[in-house]
Amino acid sequence: MIEEFTDRPVIAYFSMEIGLRSDIPTYSGGLGVLAGDTIRSAADMRVPMVGITLISRKGYFRQDIDEEGNQIEIPDVWDPSTHLMRLSQRVSVGIEGRSVLIGAWLYVHESVTGGRVPIIFLDTDIEGNTPEDRTLTDYLYGGDQEYRLKQEIVLGIGGVRMLEELGFEVRKYHMNEGHSSLLTIELLSRHRRDIEEVWDEKLVWDAEAVRRQCVFTTHTPVEAGHDKFPYDLVKRVYTDTVPLEVIKEYGGGEHLNMTLLGLNLSHFINGVAKRHQEVSMQMFPGYEIHAITNGVHPFTWTHPRLRELYDRYLPGWANEPEIFVRAGKIPKEALWQAHSEAKRELLEYVKETTGIELGPDILTIGFARRATAYKRADLIFTDIQKLLQICEGRVQFIFAGKAHPRDLQGKELIRRIHQLMRELDPRIKIAYLKNYNMDLALKIVSGVDVWLNTPQRPYEASGTSGMKAALNGVINFSVLDGWWIEGHEEGVTGWAIGGPPEEPSDPQREADDLYRKLEEIIIPMYYNHREDWIRIMRNSIRLLAYYFNSHRMMRRYVTEAYILY
Ligand SMILES: *Cc1c(COP(=O)(O)O)cnc(C)c1O
């Protein structure tokens, strides 16, 4: 079974989360979905790749929300044997002086082009492990720092060993964020020089050889997104082959900084948009950081109704998204028709799941992403009187998003939106859909008219949901941060909110600008100048979907990162 994939060198793509499909709940948000899109494009393009991640048997969590807007977290237990095949190979890692056994499951992602990419899911729930160790691969982003460090040992160190055990020859190790950076330490242990008399312990470890094998992608300027572990914890928990002094040499003096470890032991480092590259270079001075702007997987993120439309007017689009350059060939009425059907389907789903009836002819604004402070789901509610005055009877809203179980501010955002939902009803209708996942994301990004994005600059490293919207001809209305700095052309591909990216964030100015453009440009165009509106929809496909797709992203990784050395 696995032999099919081990007959040539591969890119080993390591990620703590991978979003393959909604019923494999081993992802939490954009990072995991991007990992899934990377694998999907690799399969389409037949790039030899293997994905490696944790089994997360209890998922991230399933979200319920009570009347008051309190988030309720339900373990999302899933049965790996429904989609995955258990492999017989075992490896072990040293944790707290014990030898922890790791097993593996195989999932094969198959492309319509016939390309296949295997994904290895690591699992510590196997006989021979202590009851506690058996829970190490249960929860994605659950538990405390100690639990996280153990998971990262399983992923980074266990991952390298498992790939070897399975017979893979790895050409390049690609770390999708710092969670897997310990793989560099495992590689160091394989590059010990044979030196008789040791003057300097450092010289024994051939860091350059490791660098040539490694690629590191950093994904966020948010400080909490960079794992840091105190060395007394590392010393107690990591009891494997490489001495602590060597880890300190590359992982930082104060604490083990997983980003620093990745940066120090990779020959190619990149941020996920051009602005993010600049911000990352400021955060980590002295490192050469490149930019490979994210993209989304064309077929996966296109509504079935729009797929039909593209098949008709732009045959071949799914595997060659450059064909979107000819999106001007799609008749306006046909595009509007397809969009209206996607919208009707979404509104039906809203009615079924929430009981809220939204109007098919009302301008519908969507906002769905992880509920966390910097994404500012509530910026639109800065001035309620103004919002009422502009939107009453003319605009309706659809929200969705989970807050991390320990993100109290994120949970507060969900409560606040629920409170406003009650207060503003029926003057402005707002629906909040539960349990945001990939299936729901596709429904929302394709079924609304405008995709709203109001992050606090410069924290949105890239953002990808706006790219999904564009792929469906849905118009972006966004703060100039992340990918939108590259995609935005005012009034041509959508609209900006607030000042240029170089200026410091000014929430009041951004809110004022948001209200002004809604009132003066967006609402009048939607209701009175439908032709102009559809032109921007079509431009979104022609100028944004054309570029911000994961096929282009994958080609860039191949030519700029994977084939070096
Ligand atoms: C695309 C996607 C995201 C990322 O959304 P951003 O707006 O880029 O943060 C998060 N969650 C799910 C389920 C997605 O499909």
Side-chain angles (χ1 to χ4, degrees):
M1 187 69 198
I2 199 78
E3 293 76 30
E4 172 193 346
F5 303 108
T6 55
D7 61 351
R8 64 211 143 134
V10 293
I11 307 300
Y13 187 79
F14 279 66
S15 186
M16 187 77 135
E17 48 171 313
I18 302 185
L20 292 165
R21 43 200 282 172
S22 284
D23 55 358
I24 300 186
T26 60
Y27 63 94
S28 100
L31 181 72
V33 174
L34 179 86
D37 284 352
T38 301
I39 283 165
R40 284 182 274 273
S41 277
D44 290 346
M45 298 163 68
R46 296 175 181 257
V47 174
M49 179 177 271
V50 56
I52 188 147
T53 187
L54 301 182
I55 192 83
S56 301
R57 281 172 176 271
K58 295 186 178 164
Y60 181 48
F61 67 88
R62 197 155 53 75
Q63 180 196 50
D64 196 7
I65 301 174
D66 73 12
E67 294 278 306
E68 268 72 55
N70 299 300
Q71 172 173 287
I72 299 156
E73 295 126 23
I74 305 156
D76 207 350
V77 182
W78 64 290
D79 178 5
S81 65
T82 50
H83 299 296
L84 282 57
M85 203 182 80
R86 195 192 267 283
L87 301 173
S88 59
Q89 284 82 353
R90 295 270 187 282
V91 296
S92 64
V93 290
I95 291 180
E96 289 174 338
R98 297 184 301 281
S99 182
V100 175
L101 295 169
I102 303 171
W105 295 81
L106 172 67
Y107 178 84
V108 179
H109 171 75
E110 193 160 347
S111 153
V112 288
T113 64
R116 287 155 67 82
V117 170
I119 296 99
I120 307 296
F121 288 77
L122 302 172
D123 186 5
T124 62
D125 184 15
I126 52 180
E127 219 165 304
N129 279 338
T130 66
E132 198 202 320
D133 290 340
R134 292 182 78 149
T135 67
L136 285 181
T137 49
D138 273 359
Y139 290 102
L140 175 64
Y141 304 137
D144 55 10
Q145 264 203 324
E146 179 179 320
Y147 184 79
R148 175 73 70 87
L149 178 59
K150 291 175 180 173
Q151 286 193 324
E152 296 190 5
I153 292 171
V154 171
L155 178 63
I157 299 185
V160 171
R161 292 180 186 170
M162 183 56 80
L163 290 177
E164 184 174 56
E165 182 67 20
L166 294 172
F168 282 99
E169 182 196 330
V170 177
R171 173 200 282 271
K172 215 62 103 174
Y173 292 87
H174 187 167
M175 290 164 268
N176 189 41
E177 195 51 283
H179 309 116
S180 57
S181 292
L182 283 171
L183 73 83
T184 59
I185 293 299
E186 176 61 12
L187 294 177
L188 261 187
S189 76
R190 283 140 198 265
H191 289 288
R192 271 193 77 116
R193 289 200 182 94
D194 220 1
I195 302 179
E196 261 181 37
E197 256 182 292
V198 180
W199 298 99
D200 182 351
E201 175 72 15
K202 262 193 312 188
L203 295 177
V204 177
W205 311 87
D206 188 356
E208 201 44 46
V210 174
R211 277 186 205 109
R212 279 198 292 271
Q213 287 184 291
C214 293
V215 171
F216 185 83
T217 304
T218 176
H219 283 269
T220 181
V222 177
E223 205 47 55
H226 299 262
D227 283 330
K228 293 183 188 110
F229 300 104
Y231 277 117
D232 47 357
L233 177 71
V234 179
K235 192 173 173 184
R236 185 163 59 74
V237 172
Y238 172 86
T239 52
D240 215 284
T241 51
V242 177
L244 194 65
E245 307 79 71
V246 179
I247 299 180
K248 279 189 181 170
E249 178 70 29
Y250 301 105
E254 270 169 77
H255 33 232
L256 173 54
N257 180 329
M258 299 299 278
T259 305
L260 220 49
L261 185 60
L263 296 181
N264 282 328
L265 289 168
S266 299
H267 75 276
F268 183 90
I269 304 160
N270 73 290
V272 291
K274 293 189 196 330
R275 176 73 177 140
H276 180 231
Q277 167 195 29
E278 294 165 13
V279 173
S280 300
M281 301 241 292
Q282 284 159 18
M283 280 178 88
F284 303 101
Y287 294 90
E288 187 187 358
I289 301 180
H290 301 261
I292 295 184
T293 302
N294 281 342
V296 298
H297 187 251
F299 186 81
T300 302
W301 295 109
T302 303
H303 187 279
R305 193 57 196 76
L306 282 116
R307 287 178 192 163
E308 279 171 30
L309 183 77
Y310 299 158
D311 282 345
R312 173 141 182 229
Y313 293 101
L314 309 166
W317 65 277
N319 206 36
E320 194 185 344
E322 292 87 343
I323 290 176
F324 283 132
V325 74
R326 295 197 294 273
K329 291 190 165 190
I330 305 171
K332 285 185 172 172
E333 316 73 57
L335 177 56
W336 185 252
Q337 187 65 29
H339 170 70
S340 301
E341 283 173 37
K343 182 173 179 181
R344 190 170 333 120
E345 195 181 289
L346 171 65
L347 300 192
E348 261 164 39
Y349 179 85
V350 170
K351 185 166 175 227
E352 260 170 46
T353 53
T354 67
I356 298 171
E357 257 185 271
L358 301 178
D361 300 323
I362 304 283
L363 173 61
T364 305
I365 296 183
F367 186 108
R369 39 183 66 82
R370 286 183 305 117
T372 192
Y374 86 84
K375 295 197 184 246
R376 299 191 302 186
D378 59 348
L379 190 81
I380 179 94
F381 301 113
T382 304
D383 184 340
I384 301 293
Q385 282 321 310
K386 207 157 188 178
L387 183 74
L388 274 167
Q389 179 206 317
I390 297 168
C391 296
E392 185 167 356
R394 284 188 284 266
V395 183
Q396 57 197 9
F397 293 89
I398 298 176
F399 283 87
K402 296 176 181 176
H404 184 278
R406 277 198 303 271
D407 184 349
L408 301 182
Q409 281 179 297
K411 290 181 172 180
E412 184 52 37
L413 274 172
I414 299 176
R415 263 194 299 274
R416 175 149 160 74
I417 294 169
H418 279 76
Q419 188 194 336
L420 288 162
M421 203 156 89
R422 288 190 300 271
E423 274 176 36
L424 297 176
D425 184 68
R427 291 179 296 170
I428 297 178
K429 289 198 173 173
I430 303 170
Y432 199 107
L433 301 176
K434 294 172 187 177
N435 201 38
Y436 190 48
N437 62 17
M438 289 173 63
D439 282 347
L440 185 52
L442 177 56
K443 283 192 177 73
I444 307 180
V445 296
S446 61
V448 297
D449 298 302
V450 168
W451 193 249
L452 180 67
N453 182 35
T454 51
Q456 185 180 342
R457 290 198 308 253
Y459 294 112
E460 193 60 273
S462 164
T464 50
S465 61
M467 303 173 185
K468 300 172 192 165
L471 195 47
N472 290 281
V474 166
I475 304 179
N476 278 274
F477 183 31
S478 169
V479 164
L480 283 166
D481 202 11
W483 80 283
W484 188 233
I485 299 171
E486 295 161 54
H488 163 257
E489 205 181 320
E490 187 69 11
V492 177
T493 58
W495 301 281
I497 298 169
E502 316 77 62
E503 285 179 18
S505 174
D506 178 350
Q508 190 56 52
R509 175 172 172 198
E510 285 160 359
D512 289 344
D513 203 40
L514 196 166
Y515 293 133
R516 187 183 62 76
K517 284 190 185 167
L518 259 184
E519 183 172 26
E520 296 175 6
I521 301 170
I522 300 176
I523 295 174
M525 190 189 290
Y526 181 81
Y527 288 106
N528 309 326
H529 304 280
R530 190 58 53 84
E531 288 271 314
D532 294 342
W533 185 272
I534 302 172
R535 181 153 16 88
I536 300 181
M537 289 175 68
R538 215 159 54 177
N539 287 346
S540 301
I541 302 164
R542 188 168 61 86
L543 300 167
L544 300 178
Y546 163 81
Y547 183 84
F548 297 95
N549 60 74
S550 50
H551 278 42
R552 188 254 327 144
M553 176 182 78
M554 178 50 59
R555 289 194 181 99
R556 298 261 328 255
Y557 277 111
V558 170
T559 53
E560 285 161 52
Y562 296 163
I563 63 161
L564 294 179
Y565 300 107

